[in-house]
Amino acid sequence: MNKEFISPWLKNLDQDEMNFIKKFILASGSLKDLAKDYQVSYPTIRLRLDRLIAKVELGDEQTRDSYIDLIKDLALAEKIDLQTASILIDQYEKTKEEK
């Protein structure tokens, strides 16, 4: 594998998120163990993982639409939350289909 290649979704993650992924892997995917490591509750870790999943999915999608790209960029820069970005994109795509 070429180490120079970095997947686009990976470029959108900050150092804290990368550390979370590393700890997740080292914990063999055990959210219970991860919660102990971070000294937080299981639901807190689950929420953090869900947000990370949404961010990865958002960063992995490719589009040629400048409006959608803007929304994604705002979400990835944490100017708007991922749920809001998803709602805006879904609504925009619905209005495009109606035309």
XYZ file of all heavy atoms in Angstrom:
814
model
N 0.842 -1.183 0.000
C 0.000 0.000 0.000
C 0.881 1.238 0.000
O 1.862 1.311 0.725
C -0.904 -0.005 1.225
C -1.859 1.157 1.237
S -3.147 0.948 2.456
C -2.652 2.146 3.642
N 0.523 2.193 -0.793
C 1.253 3.439 -0.892
C 0.926 4.327 0.303
O -0.191 4.786 0.458
C 0.889 4.136 -2.199
C 1.700 5.383 -2.435
O 2.445 5.827 -1.580
N 1.540 5.949 -3.611
N 1.913 4.589 1.160
C 1.695 5.397 2.350
C 1.479 6.867 2.015
O 1.016 7.629 2.850
C 2.852 5.240 3.332
C 2.901 3.868 3.958
C 3.975 3.800 4.998
C 3.992 2.404 5.600
N 4.930 2.304 6.707
N 1.837 7.263 0.813
C 1.631 8.649 0.411
C 0.159 8.931 0.129
O -0.273 10.069 0.171
C 2.484 8.982 -0.807
C 3.964 8.961 -0.507
C 4.809 9.216 -1.742
O 4.266 9.667 -2.765
O 6.011 8.961 -1.672
N -0.598 7.898 -0.162
C -2.023 8.074 -0.427
C -2.781 8.203 0.894
O -2.636 7.372 1.778
C -2.583 6.885 -1.215
C -4.072 6.935 -1.343
C -4.665 7.784 -2.264
C -4.878 6.165 -0.537
C -6.041 7.850 -2.376
C -6.256 6.222 -0.643
C -6.843 7.071 -1.570
N -3.525 9.261 1.016
C -4.380 9.437 2.180
C -5.795 9.621 1.671
O -6.069 10.517 0.870
C -3.952 10.637 3.034
C -2.540 10.420 3.584
C -4.921 10.866 4.172
C -1.993 11.572 4.377
N -6.683 8.783 2.133
C -8.067 8.830 1.695
C -8.681 10.198 2.027
O -8.396 10.763 3.090
C -8.846 7.717 2.403
O -10.159 7.682 1.947
N -9.527 10.728 1.148
C -10.115 12.057 1.386
C -10.851 12.180 2.720
O -10.743 13.189 3.394
C -11.083 12.226 0.211
C -10.545 11.347 -0.854
C -9.908 10.184 -0.147
N -11.554 11.148 3.139
C -12.292 11.253 4.404
C -11.343 11.364 5.588
O -11.648 12.005 6.583
C -13.248 10.071 4.597
C -12.570 8.738 4.751
C -12.308 7.837 3.765
C -12.060 8.153 5.957
N -11.664 6.744 4.281
C -11.506 6.905 5.630
C -12.026 8.571 7.285
C -10.921 6.070 6.579
C -11.444 7.729 8.228
C -10.908 6.499 7.862
N -10.159 10.785 5.458
C -9.181 10.817 6.537
C -8.592 12.217 6.714
O -8.287 12.640 7.828
C -8.080 9.804 6.230
C -7.209 9.318 7.362
C -8.024 8.777 8.508
C -6.263 8.247 6.862
N -8.489 12.950 5.630
C -7.945 14.312 5.677
C -8.841 15.252 6.477
O -8.375 16.278 6.972
C -7.759 14.866 4.266
C -6.667 14.178 3.484
C -6.572 14.755 2.095
C -5.535 14.019 1.281
N -5.457 14.516 -0.090
N -10.117 14.912 6.617
C -11.069 15.779 7.312
C -11.069 15.587 8.818
O -11.771 16.295 9.523
C -12.483 15.536 6.775
C -12.612 15.931 5.324
O -12.067 16.933 4.906
N -13.326 15.143 4.560
N -10.305 14.632 9.318
C -10.305 14.348 10.749
C -9.217 15.135 11.451
O -8.107 15.282 10.938
C -10.096 12.851 10.988
C -11.107 11.917 10.330
C -10.780 10.468 10.682
C -12.526 12.262 10.727
N -9.540 15.626 12.657
C -8.518 16.318 13.438
C -7.743 15.306 14.289
O -8.068 14.115 14.308
C -9.135 17.434 14.286
C -10.148 16.941 15.306
O -10.022 15.797 15.806
O -11.067 17.706 15.635
N -6.730 15.784 14.982
C -5.856 14.900 15.760
C -6.620 14.152 16.841
O -6.387 12.967 17.082
C -4.700 15.696 16.377
C -3.634 14.818 16.999
C -2.977 13.875 15.993
O -2.627 14.291 14.902
N -2.820 12.626 16.343
N -7.564 14.815 17.495
C -8.357 14.181 18.540
C -9.177 13.021 17.974
O -9.284 11.956 18.591
C -9.267 15.217 19.204
C -9.964 14.687 20.428
O -9.301 14.034 21.258
O -11.182 14.927 20.560
N -9.742 13.230 16.799
C -10.526 12.169 16.155
C -9.633 11.009 15.721
O -10.025 9.849 15.829
C -11.305 12.746 14.972
C -12.393 13.708 15.405
C -12.894 14.598 14.294
O -12.150 14.877 13.334
O -14.053 15.033 14.399
N -8.443 11.329 15.253
C -7.501 10.267 14.873
C -7.095 9.452 16.101
O -7.004 8.223 16.035
C -6.259 10.882 14.217
C -6.537 11.571 12.899
S -7.080 10.438 11.618
C -5.573 9.550 11.334
N -6.862 10.130 17.225
C -6.531 9.423 18.466
C -7.680 8.534 18.926
O -7.465 7.429 19.416
C -6.157 10.414 19.570
C -4.821 11.070 19.327
O -3.967 10.534 18.614
N -4.635 12.239 19.887
N -8.904 9.020 18.754
C -10.082 8.233 19.110
C -10.132 6.948 18.287
O -10.371 5.862 18.817
C -11.355 9.060 18.903
C -12.611 8.339 19.286
C -13.052 8.341 20.595
C -13.368 7.672 18.334
C -14.219 7.678 20.956
C -14.523 7.006 18.681
C -14.959 7.013 20.003
N -9.891 7.072 16.994
C -9.899 5.901 16.115
C -8.808 4.921 16.531
O -9.042 3.703 16.586
C -9.732 6.319 14.634
C -10.982 7.053 14.152
C -9.445 5.113 13.750
C -10.838 7.695 12.801
N -7.640 5.436 16.841
C -6.542 4.574 17.272
C -6.914 3.819 18.546
O -6.731 2.595 18.636
C -5.276 5.404 17.508
C -4.088 4.574 17.957
C -2.860 5.446 18.187
C -1.698 4.605 18.683
N -0.510 5.428 18.942
N -7.463 4.530 19.522
C -7.862 3.886 20.777
C -8.973 2.869 20.532
O -9.011 1.812 21.156
C -8.305 4.926 21.800
C -7.153 5.714 22.372
C -7.630 6.687 23.434
C -6.442 7.426 24.033
N -6.832 8.210 25.201
N -9.886 3.191 19.618
C -10.977 2.280 19.269
C -10.414 0.974 18.706
O -10.838 -0.115 19.087
C -11.898 2.968 18.261
C -13.045 2.124 17.785
C -14.140 1.889 18.600
C -13.038 1.582 16.513
C -15.206 1.120 18.158
C -14.098 0.815 16.061
C -15.185 0.583 16.887
N -9.449 1.097 17.829
C -8.816 -0.091 17.232
C -8.083 -0.894 18.297
O -8.218 -2.119 18.374
C -7.867 0.310 16.084
C -8.684 0.855 14.905
C -7.011 -0.877 15.645
C -7.850 1.545 13.850
N -7.308 -0.192 19.133
C -6.543 -0.887 20.170
C -7.453 -1.543 21.215
O -7.062 -2.525 21.839
C -5.568 0.083 20.844
C -4.425 0.566 19.950
C -3.602 1.630 20.662
C -3.544 -0.596 19.502
N -8.668 -1.021 21.356
C -9.648 -1.617 22.272
C -10.459 -2.701 21.567
O -11.458 -3.167 22.096
C -10.577 -0.543 22.834
N -10.023 -3.092 20.384
C -10.706 -4.111 19.574
C -12.171 -3.759 19.327
O -13.032 -4.624 19.254
C -10.603 -5.482 20.239
O -9.263 -5.877 20.352
N -12.444 -2.469 19.224
C -13.796 -2.023 18.928
C -14.735 -2.043 20.121
O -15.930 -1.846 19.963
N -14.210 -2.258 21.299
C -15.052 -2.311 22.495
C -15.347 -0.895 22.990
O -14.464 -0.211 23.519
C -14.367 -3.106 23.606
O -15.073 -2.960 24.821
N -16.591 -0.469 22.842
C -16.975 0.851 23.314
C -16.949 0.906 24.840
O -16.659 1.954 25.423
C -18.359 1.225 22.792
C -18.473 1.372 21.269
C -19.883 1.786 20.882
C -17.466 2.358 20.734
N -17.227 -0.212 25.470
C -17.185 -0.283 26.928
C -15.767 -0.002 27.424
O -15.565 0.795 28.349
C -17.652 -1.666 27.393
C -17.794 -1.810 28.871
C -18.354 -3.187 29.208
C -18.449 -3.385 30.705
N -18.952 -4.711 31.047
N -14.764 -0.632 26.805
C -13.369 -0.392 27.180
C -12.949 1.043 26.861
O -12.208 1.666 27.620
C -12.441 -1.375 26.475
C -12.576 -2.800 26.975
O -13.214 -3.010 28.036
O -12.057 -3.711 26.300
N -13.438 1.556 25.746
C -13.114 2.917 25.347
C -13.703 3.924 26.344
O -13.045 4.912 26.690
C -13.657 3.169 23.943
C -12.979 4.198 23.073
C -11.483 3.988 22.965
C -13.596 4.206 21.693
N -14.907 3.657 26.800
C -15.538 4.529 27.796
C -14.715 4.549 29.083
O -14.523 5.613 29.690
C -16.966 4.063 28.078
N -14.201 3.397 29.475
C -13.340 3.336 30.666
C -12.067 4.143 30.444
O -11.630 4.886 31.318
C -12.975 1.886 30.998
C -14.081 1.101 31.617
C -13.612 -0.315 31.918
C -14.774 -1.194 32.353
N -14.343 -2.585 32.554
N -11.469 4.006 29.267
C -10.234 4.715 28.951
C -10.435 6.231 28.995
O -9.593 6.963 29.508
C -9.714 4.274 27.580
C -8.354 4.856 27.247
O -7.483 4.916 28.149
O -8.150 5.243 26.080
N -11.551 6.703 28.450
C -11.844 8.139 28.437
C -12.512 8.608 29.729
O -12.752 9.797 29.910
C -12.742 8.491 27.244
C -11.993 8.670 25.947
C -11.901 7.646 25.012
C -11.382 9.882 25.635
C -11.220 7.808 23.816
C -10.702 10.068 24.442
C -10.624 9.028 23.541
O -9.945 9.208 22.354
N -12.863 7.679 30.585
C -13.538 7.957 31.859
C -14.852 8.704 31.650
O -15.133 9.710 32.297
C -12.617 8.714 32.810
C -11.371 7.935 33.163
C -10.423 8.696 34.065
O -10.502 9.913 34.200
N -9.509 7.963 34.693
N -15.633 8.188 30.706
C -16.960 8.721 30.419
C -17.924 7.550 30.308
O -17.523 6.393 30.307
C -16.985 9.565 29.117
C -16.099 10.800 29.249
C -16.571 8.736 27.912
N -19.202 7.867 30.184
C -20.214 6.810 30.080
C -20.233 6.196 28.681
O -19.769 6.796 27.709
C -21.593 7.379 30.402
O -21.995 8.292 29.396
N -20.794 5.000 28.602
C -20.954 4.315 27.316
C -21.750 5.184 26.325
O -21.344 5.323 25.171
C -21.623 2.953 27.530
C -21.910 2.220 26.243
C -20.969 1.350 25.702
C -23.101 2.421 25.557
C -21.218 0.677 24.508
C -23.364 1.759 24.366
C -22.418 0.889 23.850
O -22.664 0.244 22.677
N -22.897 5.776 26.756
C -23.647 6.611 25.794
C -22.835 7.796 25.258
O -23.001 8.184 24.104
C -24.855 7.095 26.607
C -25.031 6.058 27.665
C -23.645 5.610 28.015
N -21.941 8.340 26.070
C -21.095 9.444 25.609
C -20.155 8.971 24.514
O -19.982 9.645 23.485
C -20.294 10.038 26.789
O -21.216 10.523 27.771
C -19.382 11.160 26.331
N -19.553 7.805 24.699
C -18.666 7.241 23.679
C -19.458 6.890 22.425
O -19.008 7.127 21.299
C -17.909 6.004 24.222
C -16.838 6.434 25.208
C -17.300 5.175 23.097
C -15.697 7.248 24.609
N -20.650 6.330 22.608
C -21.499 5.964 21.463
C -21.845 7.202 20.637
O -21.799 7.181 19.405
C -22.776 5.281 21.974
C -23.722 4.803 20.895
C -23.150 3.615 20.174
N -23.025 3.956 18.780
C -22.553 3.151 17.839
N -22.142 1.943 18.142
N -22.468 3.519 16.602
N -22.174 8.295 21.323
C -22.498 9.544 20.636
C -21.283 10.074 19.875
O -21.394 10.509 18.729
C -22.987 10.587 21.641
C -23.353 11.953 21.078
C -24.502 11.849 20.076
C -23.725 12.896 22.209
N -20.132 10.004 20.507
C -18.904 10.462 19.849
C -18.609 9.629 18.602
O -18.241 10.158 17.554
C -17.737 10.388 20.832
C -16.476 10.974 20.291
C -15.434 11.135 21.354
N -14.221 11.690 20.786
C -13.124 11.911 21.450
N -13.061 11.652 22.731
N -12.069 12.401 20.855
N -18.791 8.321 18.709
C -18.577 7.445 17.557
C -19.592 7.735 16.459
O -19.235 7.792 15.277
C -18.650 5.974 17.987
C -18.438 4.951 16.877
C -17.059 5.100 16.239
C -18.615 3.540 17.429
N -20.845 7.941 16.822
C -21.878 8.247 15.828
C -21.553 9.532 15.067
O -21.724 9.606 13.853
C -23.255 8.358 16.488
C -23.797 7.021 16.950
O -23.279 5.970 16.501
O -24.727 7.017 17.788
N -21.066 10.546 15.787
C -20.690 11.801 15.133
C -19.494 11.602 14.209
O -19.440 12.169 13.124
C -20.367 12.860 16.180
C -21.592 13.375 16.891
C -21.236 14.436 17.895
N -22.439 14.929 18.550
C -22.468 15.468 19.751
N -21.350 15.588 20.436
N -23.590 15.889 20.267
N -18.559 10.787 14.641
C -17.390 10.493 13.816
C -17.798 9.732 12.556
O -17.321 10.030 11.455
C -16.365 9.701 14.622
C -15.033 9.401 13.949
C -14.336 10.677 13.492
C -14.127 8.640 14.902
N -18.706 8.788 12.704
C -19.216 8.038 11.547
C -19.868 8.989 10.553
O -19.615 8.924 9.344
C -20.201 6.939 11.994
C -19.450 5.825 12.730
C -20.982 6.380 10.803
C -20.353 4.843 13.456
N -20.691 9.911 11.056
C -21.365 10.874 10.178
C -20.346 11.756 9.461
O -20.492 12.048 8.272
C -22.333 11.730 10.981
N -19.312 12.147 10.172
C -18.278 12.992 9.566
C -17.515 12.235 8.488
O -17.228 12.781 7.419
C -17.311 13.487 10.647
C -16.338 14.529 10.152
C -15.556 15.135 11.297
C -14.643 16.231 10.812
N -13.909 16.862 11.918
N -17.216 10.974 8.733
C -16.519 10.154 7.739
C -17.406 9.967 6.505
O -16.943 10.103 5.374
C -16.106 8.786 8.340
C -15.681 7.815 7.259
C -14.985 8.976 9.355
N -18.675 9.668 6.736
C -19.598 9.481 5.609
C -19.721 10.758 4.789
O -19.702 10.716 3.560
C -20.975 9.039 6.112
C -20.997 7.636 6.640
C -22.307 7.245 7.284
O -23.118 8.124 7.641
O -22.521 6.030 7.445
N -19.816 11.884 5.471
C -19.940 13.158 4.777
C -18.683 13.461 3.970
O -18.753 13.900 2.834
C -20.201 14.280 5.781
C -20.509 15.645 5.211
C -21.834 15.619 4.446
C -20.572 16.675 6.324
N -17.527 13.194 4.542
C -16.273 13.459 3.853
C -15.990 12.501 2.728
O -15.203 12.788 1.829
N -16.650 11.349 2.751
C -16.423 10.320 1.741
C -17.270 10.534 0.489
O -16.942 10.049 -0.574
C -16.734 8.948 2.337
C -15.820 7.867 1.817
O -14.762 8.190 1.264
O -16.180 6.687 1.963
N -18.361 11.266 0.637
C -19.244 11.515 -0.500
C -18.602 12.540 -1.422
O -18.040 13.527 -0.982
C -20.594 12.049 -0.009
C -21.366 11.063 0.840
C -22.612 11.682 1.433
O -22.926 12.843 1.126
O -23.256 10.994 2.224
N -18.699 12.268 -2.701
C -18.157 13.206 -3.676
C -19.287 13.726 -4.545
O -20.183 12.978 -4.928
C -17.098 12.526 -4.537
C -15.888 12.137 -3.740
C -14.816 11.530 -4.613
O -14.963 11.428 -5.813
N -13.724 11.112 -3.996
N -19.246 15.018 -4.818
C -20.294 15.639 -5.611
C -19.690 16.698 -6.519
O -18.585 17.150 -6.288
C -21.368 16.273 -4.693
O -22.370 16.857 -5.504
C -20.785 17.328 -3.792
N -20.444 17.083 -7.514
C -20.017 18.148 -8.408
C -20.909 19.376 -8.198
O -20.909 20.288 -8.998
C -20.094 17.696 -9.861
C -19.135 16.578 -10.180
C -18.995 16.452 -11.696
N -18.366 15.246 -12.156
C -17.107 14.912 -11.987
N -16.330 15.684 -11.312
N -16.622 13.803 -12.476
N -21.640 19.402 -7.125
C -22.559 20.498 -6.850
C -21.910 21.446 -5.838
O -21.616 21.056 -4.713
C -23.869 19.929 -6.293
C -24.946 20.979 -6.199
O -24.713 22.001 -5.534
O -26.025 20.767 -6.778
N -21.700 22.684 -6.231
C -20.976 23.635 -5.386
C -21.736 23.956 -4.100
O -21.117 24.188 -3.060
C -20.669 24.915 -6.156
O -21.863 25.540 -6.582
N -23.076 23.974 -4.146
C -23.855 24.245 -2.937
C -23.681 23.118 -1.915
O -23.446 23.368 -0.740
C -25.334 24.429 -3.286
C -26.196 24.723 -2.083
C -26.163 25.978 -1.472
C -27.035 23.754 -1.554
C -26.948 26.255 -0.366
C -27.823 24.019 -0.445
C -27.775 25.269 0.143
O -28.542 25.535 1.248
N -23.760 21.883 -2.382
C -23.573 20.738 -1.482
C -22.145 20.709 -0.956
O -21.919 20.442 0.231
C -23.950 19.424 -2.192
C -25.461 19.394 -2.464
C -23.538 18.212 -1.360
C -25.942 18.205 -3.261
N -21.192 21.013 -1.801
C -19.803 21.068 -1.354
C -19.612 22.128 -0.263
O -18.884 21.910 0.706
C -18.862 21.360 -2.518
C -18.693 20.168 -3.442
O -18.990 19.033 -3.015
O -18.259 20.371 -4.591
N -20.279 23.270 -0.423
C -20.206 24.325 0.587
C -20.758 23.835 1.924
O -20.143 24.045 2.978
C -20.969 25.566 0.119
C -21.142 26.679 1.158
C -19.780 27.250 1.551
C -22.064 27.757 0.626
N -21.901 23.181 1.893
C -22.501 22.661 3.123
C -21.574 21.647 3.782
O -21.357 21.678 4.994
C -23.889 22.037 2.835
C -24.873 23.126 2.412
C -24.414 21.296 4.068
C -26.188 22.608 1.908
N -21.006 20.762 2.989
C -20.079 19.761 3.525
C -18.853 20.431 4.139
O -18.412 20.054 5.222
C -19.645 18.790 2.429
C -20.735 17.838 2.012
C -20.233 16.929 0.919
C -21.308 16.016 0.416
N -20.819 15.102 -0.614
N -18.320 21.427 3.446
C -17.152 22.131 3.970
C -17.470 22.813 5.302
O -16.651 22.796 6.227
C -16.640 23.167 2.963
C -15.974 22.536 1.757
O -15.631 21.335 1.814
O -15.802 23.245 0.742
N -18.653 23.428 5.389
C -19.056 24.063 6.643
C -19.187 23.039 7.770
O -18.773 23.296 8.901
C -20.381 24.817 6.459
C -20.322 26.077 5.603
C -21.726 26.578 5.301
C -19.490 27.159 6.278
N -19.742 21.882 7.453
C -19.894 20.838 8.463
C -18.548 20.281 8.886
O -18.295 20.079 10.085
C -20.797 19.722 7.941
N -17.680 20.038 7.942
C -16.371 19.493 8.263
C -15.513 20.490 9.040
O -14.679 20.097 9.851
C -15.656 19.040 6.988
C -16.329 17.848 6.288
C -15.666 17.580 4.947
C -16.304 16.606 7.155
N -15.753 21.781 8.825
C -15.051 22.820 9.573
C -15.769 23.118 10.896
O -15.375 24.020 11.624
C -14.940 24.084 8.738
N -16.832 22.372 11.164
C -17.637 22.495 12.387
C -18.270 23.879 12.528
O -18.459 24.375 13.628
C -16.820 22.107 13.617
C -16.376 20.649 13.558
C -15.581 20.201 14.772
O -15.304 21.032 15.667
O -15.242 19.009 14.814
N -18.602 24.496 11.389
C -19.343 25.757 11.393
C -20.840 25.489 11.548
O -21.571 26.317 12.059
C -19.097 26.544 10.100
C -17.651 26.862 9.835
C -17.141 27.909 10.774
C -15.715 28.276 10.380
N -15.068 29.115 11.337
N -21.264 24.325 11.046
C -22.623 23.820 11.288
C -22.487 22.358 11.691
O -21.501 21.706 11.352
C -23.551 23.965 10.046
C -23.011 23.193 8.849
C -23.764 25.429 9.693
C -23.948 23.174 7.650
N -23.491 21.853 12.426
C -23.384 20.462 12.861
C -23.746 19.510 11.712
O -24.372 19.910 10.729
C -24.249 20.201 14.101
C -25.719 20.395 13.837
O -26.362 19.433 13.364
O -26.240 21.504 14.101
N -23.330 18.278 11.862
C -23.505 17.286 10.795
C -24.973 16.997 10.507
O -25.356 16.798 9.360
C -22.763 16.001 11.163
C -21.241 16.152 11.260
C -20.623 14.912 11.875
C -20.651 16.430 9.902
N -25.797 16.984 11.537
C -27.227 16.720 11.341
C -27.861 17.832 10.512
O -28.636 17.568 9.597
C -27.935 16.577 12.684
C -29.392 16.202 12.538
C -30.079 16.009 13.877
O -29.520 16.274 14.925
N -31.304 15.544 13.837
N -27.514 19.076 10.810
C -28.039 20.209 10.043
C -27.572 20.132 8.596
O -28.357 20.353 7.669
C -27.597 21.548 10.676
O -28.078 21.600 12.019
C -28.117 22.735 9.893
N -26.309 19.800 8.395
C -25.777 19.662 7.033
C -26.549 18.610 6.259
O -26.920 18.818 5.106
C -24.297 19.308 7.076
N -26.811 17.500 6.899
C -27.546 16.416 6.243
C -28.962 16.859 5.871
O -29.444 16.574 4.770
C -27.594 15.204 7.176
O -28.260 14.139 6.565
N -29.620 17.569 6.762
C -30.975 18.073 6.488
C -30.958 19.044 5.317
O -31.801 18.966 4.413
C -31.570 18.741 7.750
C -31.848 17.689 8.829
C -32.839 19.518 7.404
C -32.159 18.274 10.195
N -29.995 19.973 5.314
C -29.897 20.945 4.217
C -29.646 20.265 2.870
O -30.261 20.622 1.862
C -28.787 21.958 4.510
C -29.052 22.953 5.641
C -27.793 23.733 5.970
C -30.192 23.886 5.268
N -28.746 19.302 2.873
C -28.435 18.589 1.626
C -29.653 17.809 1.136
O -30.003 17.865 -0.051
C -27.210 17.670 1.813
C -25.945 18.510 1.974
C -27.073 16.700 0.636
C -24.723 17.729 2.402
N -30.320 17.094 2.044
C -31.512 16.323 1.656
C -32.594 17.231 1.080
O -33.200 16.916 0.048
C -32.076 15.547 2.857
C -31.215 14.371 3.257
O -30.324 13.967 2.476
O -31.424 13.841 4.369
N -32.844 18.369 1.742
C -33.872 19.287 1.273
C -33.499 19.892 -0.076
O -34.332 20.003 -0.972
C -34.098 20.400 2.309
C -35.279 21.295 1.973
C -36.587 20.521 1.910
O -36.852 19.666 2.745
N -37.402 20.830 0.919
N -32.235 20.240 -0.241
C -31.767 20.800 -1.513
C -31.933 19.787 -2.644
O -32.396 20.140 -3.726
C -30.293 21.203 -1.359
C -29.654 21.696 -2.632
C -29.979 22.930 -3.167
C -28.699 20.919 -3.293
C -29.374 23.391 -4.329
C -28.083 21.363 -4.450
C -28.439 22.598 -4.966
O -27.843 23.049 -6.112
N -31.578 18.528 -2.369
C -31.728 17.489 -3.400
C -33.189 17.247 -3.744
O -33.524 17.007 -4.906
C -31.037 16.204 -2.946
C -29.519 16.336 -2.972
C -28.789 15.119 -2.443
O -29.385 14.315 -1.695
O -27.585 14.983 -2.767
N -34.079 17.329 -2.768
C -35.523 17.171 -3.041
C -36.036 18.286 -3.935
O -36.796 18.036 -4.860
C -36.316 17.161 -1.730
C -36.207 15.878 -0.959
C -37.002 15.937 0.326
C -36.762 14.726 1.179
N -37.438 14.801 2.488
N -35.605 19.517 -3.657
C -36.070 20.635 -4.491
C -35.509 20.551 -5.902
O -36.179 20.932 -6.855
C -35.702 22.012 -3.873
O -34.292 22.091 -3.679
C -36.426 22.237 -2.566
N -34.292 20.024 -6.055
C -33.728 19.824 -7.387
C -34.507 18.768 -8.161
O -34.711 18.898 -9.361
C -32.260 19.413 -7.292
C -31.313 20.561 -7.069
C -29.874 20.144 -6.960
C -29.398 19.355 -8.124
N -27.982 18.988 -8.101
N -34.946 17.712 -7.471
C -35.707 16.635 -8.134
C -37.078 17.120 -8.576
O -37.604 16.656 -9.579
C -35.870 15.456 -7.171
C -34.580 14.695 -6.913
C -34.749 13.630 -5.839
O -35.867 13.432 -5.320
O -33.739 12.995 -5.512
N -37.649 18.052 -7.820
C -38.986 18.564 -8.136
C -38.991 19.446 -9.374
O -40.008 19.626 -9.998
C -39.544 19.340 -6.934
C -39.851 18.449 -5.750
C -40.214 19.225 -4.509
O -40.220 20.484 -4.537
O -40.526 18.586 -3.486
N -37.840 19.985 -9.709
C -37.767 20.910 -10.862
C -37.773 20.191 -12.166
O -37.559 19.188 -12.494
C -36.513 21.771 -10.765
C -36.613 22.761 -9.640
C -35.387 23.625 -9.583
C -35.517 24.629 -8.450
N -34.397 25.495 -8.352
